[in-house]
Amino acid sequence: MSPQLPPVAPAVTAELVAALSPRLRKRLDSGIAKLADRPVVRDGAVVRIAVDDDTDLELHAPDGAVRGADAVRCGCLLAPDCLHRAAAASLAPVAEDTDSAAPQDHSAAEEDAAQAPETATPEQRAAVRAVQLATSAVLEAGTDGAGAVLQAELLRAAHTARLAGLHRAAATAVSVVTALRAARAADPAYRLTDLAAGLYEVLSVAHRLPSASGGELTALRGSARQPYRPDGSLRLYGLFSEPVLTASGYAGAVTWTADAEGRLYQVSDVAPGGAGRAVGAADRTVRIGDTALTHRELARAGLAVSGATVSPTGRLGAGAGVRAVRAPGVGWHEEPVARLWAEPVPGQIARALAGGRDLLFLDVTLTGTAAEAAGDCLLADCAGVPLRLTAAHDDPALPHRDNLRLLSAARGTRLRVVARLTPAPHPRAQLLAAEHPTRADTRLDIGLDRLQGADLPTTATPSGSVPVPVPVPVPASASASASASDEAPIHLLRRRVHQTVSGGRPVLALPGDTRADARHLRRSGLTTAAELLTDLHSAAADRAHDVFGRLRPTDPDRFARAWLAAAHYTSELDRTLCLAAWTP
């Protein structure tokens, strides 16, 4: 996916692909691959792609994104019904909804909720059914088979869902398309687990919404806009900043702050862009009140805000009535922010797994490094729990990997850190911020500040040499924990769930004996897992013949339901194992 192309609205891509003839639809994926190698030039709000020496294709994005089909223009003889327009839209990132970040006052949000029907409307039922069918088709095809045509069908369903007020289903469906494109483009940032989680979320919402009512229905619908509630005056203390870099073409920075009660608030600056914007956003002035603080400065200072407006997730509004001035900050070992680290770790994990904030405030001792398929991770001891700290981003423009590599050479160093929980059967989190390994009064934003060899303890770096982290054996307790989780029989079901996402129904329909895996699960007391595994394979291989011996069409609904049940079971079991793993 080219980061130079402006994001394109889901409805635009769906419209352009739908307009293609059946013959051109078959050629769409190859057309995308050819277009990806062509030169791209940006001229203000217009991006030009040289289709060939004599033909240009233009994407007009006056507000940073392409919002209409007529904004994609091609100079070839077959335009406007040519392949190039659909290929360009399918190649570009997916634009977010124009109203997704618009502030909304709290009274309006309450009024909307009060007027919402107690059960799903016929329009919503039809829209969520379309999302379900499109998602089931993607699941059946797998990443290898879910090309631009299936992606466009899911984008069309997402657009219909948004118009019907089903914003949660629409947003998650778009995220699935983004992950599919990353997978097919061999993007290093792609994670199979993220795509599996997105598919699970969409199918789960589609399954539950038709029969939901009351508060459950409201949660399943989701919200188009962030409702901002007036919150009076706030005294905030900076904690850290992190870069934002999404696969959908957005970048920037978010600075986290806390008030005297330990509640977290964020100041964000995210807009269309790439890694360059993510790196530079930290030195941009925060957009709140009249303050001249940059994000990097706010992370270490404080803020006094009057007339504050705050979203349910803690994001600070930047309306005309908001006033903000710089105030003194405090260290991580000083009150009131020190109380964030005083909360027992199991309580932090339980809250994150229950859908609360996923930030963890931990005191750790660095123990070395361990090699993983995605790259080396930093090993640490956290109150007797062996922890793996990983990079939040792999983009080389951001210093996450380099900082983890250097920190791994400072074995034995005790640090106070901020991390984001990664649900797994073993303790695992993304390192976001940390105390400096040699300067106690200094903090490091792991995604923005670059450590140097001179910053390490003298015992970690021989004189005149470059620090080279040496992998060390994982402590016995960590080895036992990792081995137990890796060998847990549930992996027999989980890997089938993930194989479906990659290879679709055909992979699970291949001839093979699953009875051995089912027996292993039953012997381990996981009878339900054994039944789900058997049902998933049965649904994949279910191809009945008609009276003439011809194969009947597959039943995508049955296969999707079987996969959803298996994914739900493994998700809930993983949640339980994760909480248990963090308990010393």
Side-chain angles (χ1 to χ4, degrees):
M1 182 182 299
S2 173
Q4 297 175 293
L5 298 182
V8 177
V12 173
T13 304
E15 179 181 345
L16 292 176
V17 174
L20 294 177
S21 66
R23 180 180 63 85
L24 290 180
R25 286 193 183 192
K26 293 179 181 179
R27 295 171 49 194
L28 181 56
D29 289 317
S30 61
I32 293 171
K34 292 179 181 178
L35 205 62
D37 295 330
R38 301 303 301 164
V40 177
V41 176
R42 181 180 292 273
D43 182 11
V46 179
V47 174
R48 293 185 178 87
I49 305 174
V51 176
D52 55 39
D53 293 340
D54 302 316
T55 305
D56 284 344
L57 185 148
E58 296 181 349
L59 291 86
H60 294 252
D63 68 343
V66 176
R67 303 290 180 187
D70 58 351
V72 184
R73 307 167 189 172
C74 184
C76 75
L77 296 177
L78 297 179
D81 300 323
C82 62
L83 181 69
H84 305 130
R85 297 173 70 223
S90 300
L91 179 64
V94 183
E96 293 184 355
D97 294 336
T98 54
D99 58 353
S100 61
Q104 175 186 4
D105 63 49
H106 186 63
S107 59
E110 291 178 338
E111 182 179 350
D112 289 345
Q115 294 177 351
E118 292 300 310
T119 59
T121 66
E123 180 188 17
Q124 289 175 335
R125 291 172 186 269
V128 81
R129 177 59 175 163
V131 171
Q132 187 177 39
L133 290 174
T135 307
S136 298
V138 167
L139 183 67
E140 182 153 333
T143 55
D144 292 341
V149 173
L150 286 182
Q151 294 170 24
E153 289 299 323
L154 186 52
L155 289 177
R156 177 184 294 279
H159 178 64
T160 303
R162 186 176 70 85
L163 294 180
L166 304 180
H167 304 286
R168 180 175 170 184
T172 312
V174 169
S175 72
V176 166
V177 172
T178 298
L180 280 172
R181 293 180 178 179
R184 293 173 62 83
D187 188 334
Y190 166 71
R191 296 289 182 270
L192 174 61
T193 52
D194 293 341
L195 177 54
L199 289 166
Y200 168 70
E201 169 79 1
V202 177
L203 289 173
S204 180
V205 170
H207 175 74
R208 294 160 53 199
L209 189 140
S211 59
S213 61
E216 182 188 13
L217 178 60
T218 300
L220 291 173
R221 285 196 190 105
S223 174
R225 299 170 290 175
Q226 286 277 13
Y228 281 74
R229 177 198 295 269
D231 208 11
S233 298
L234 296 173
R235 175 65 170 90
L236 303 176
Y237 303 87
L239 293 172
F240 72 98
S241 288
E242 63 172 320
V244 175
L245 184 60
T246 72
S248 57
Y250 287 80
V254 172
T255 298
W256 292 82
T257 65
D259 68 4
E261 303 300 322
R263 292 186 294 261
L264 299 184
Y265 298 83
Q266 313 122 52
V267 180
S268 65
D269 180 2
V270 178
R277 192 180 195 283
V279 172
D283 295 313
R284 295 166 63 97
T285 302
V286 298
R287 294 185 293 182
I288 178 170
D290 300 323
T291 178
L293 284 169
T294 66
H295 283 270
R296 195 185 300 273
E297 292 169 336
L298 176 58
R300 292 154 179 81
L303 205 62
V305 186
S306 62
T309 57
V310 184
S311 78
T313 59
R315 179 176 296 179
L316 289 172
V322 179
R323 298 289 182 268
V325 296
R326 180 173 186 154
V330 297
W332 283 357
H333 291 271
E334 302 175 62
E335 292 295 344
V337 304
R339 68 180 58 195
L340 295 169
W341 281 266
E343 182 181 3
V345 174
Q348 297 188 50
I349 302 301
R351 181 182 57 247
L353 292 174
R357 72 180 188 219
D358 58 359
L359 292 185
L360 305 178
F361 299 87
L362 310 171
D363 288 301
V364 304
T365 300
L366 304 183
T367 58
T369 186
E372 295 186 336
D376 289 352
C377 68
L378 182 63
L379 298 178
D381 177 87
C382 179
V385 173
L387 170 63
R388 294 193 172 208
L389 294 168
T390 63
H393 291 284
D394 286 322
D395 194 292
L398 301 174
H400 293 90
R401 285 285 176 200
D402 292 339
N403 285 338
L404 260 66
R405 178 178 60 83
L406 286 168
L407 285 173
S408 66
R411 295 193 297 274
T413 303
R414 184 168 178 79
L415 297 176
R416 181 157 279 190
V417 305
V418 183
R420 177 169 287 116
L421 176 66
T422 302
H426 58 275
R428 188 178 188 87
Q430 296 174 344
L431 184 60
L432 304 177
E435 292 177 312
H436 195 283
T438 56
R439 298 198 294 271
D441 59 342
T442 303
R443 310 173 198 168
L444 294 170
D445 295 330
I446 298 299
L448 299 172
D449 302 323
R450 285 193 179 272
L451 273 172
Q452 304 296 326
D455 294 321
L456 299 179
T458 54
T459 55
T461 310
S463 178
S465 66
V466 177
V468 179
V470 179
V472 298
V474 181
S477 58
S479 299
S481 174
S483 175
S485 64
D486 291 343
E487 296 301 323
I490 191 59
H491 79 278
L492 299 173
L493 179 60
R494 185 188 300 109
R495 74 182 181 189
R496 301 304 183 197
V497 170
H498 289 167
Q499 281 178 347
T500 303
V501 175
S502 296
R505 175 202 289 265
V507 170
L508 270 69
L510 292 173
D513 187 0
T514 62
R515 289 175 295 182
D517 288 347
R519 284 196 300 269
H520 189 182
L521 289 167
R522 288 191 178 92
R523 283 197 302 268
S524 302
L526 300 174
T527 304
T528 301
E531 294 174 353
L532 291 171
L533 177 63
T534 301
D535 186 56
L536 182 59
H537 278 277
S538 176
D542 185 14
R543 293 296 303 274
H545 293 75
D546 61 19
V547 294
F548 300 104
R550 297 171 300 192
L551 281 175
R552 295 185 184 276
T554 59
D555 182 358
D557 272 349
R558 184 196 169 191
F559 182 65
R561 286 195 303 270
W563 183 88
L564 178 61
H568 178 73
Y569 180 90
T570 56
S571 175
E572 291 302 309
L573 187 56
D574 283 347
R575 191 186 306 271
T576 302
L577 292 174
C578 178
L579 182 58
W582 281 87
T583 303

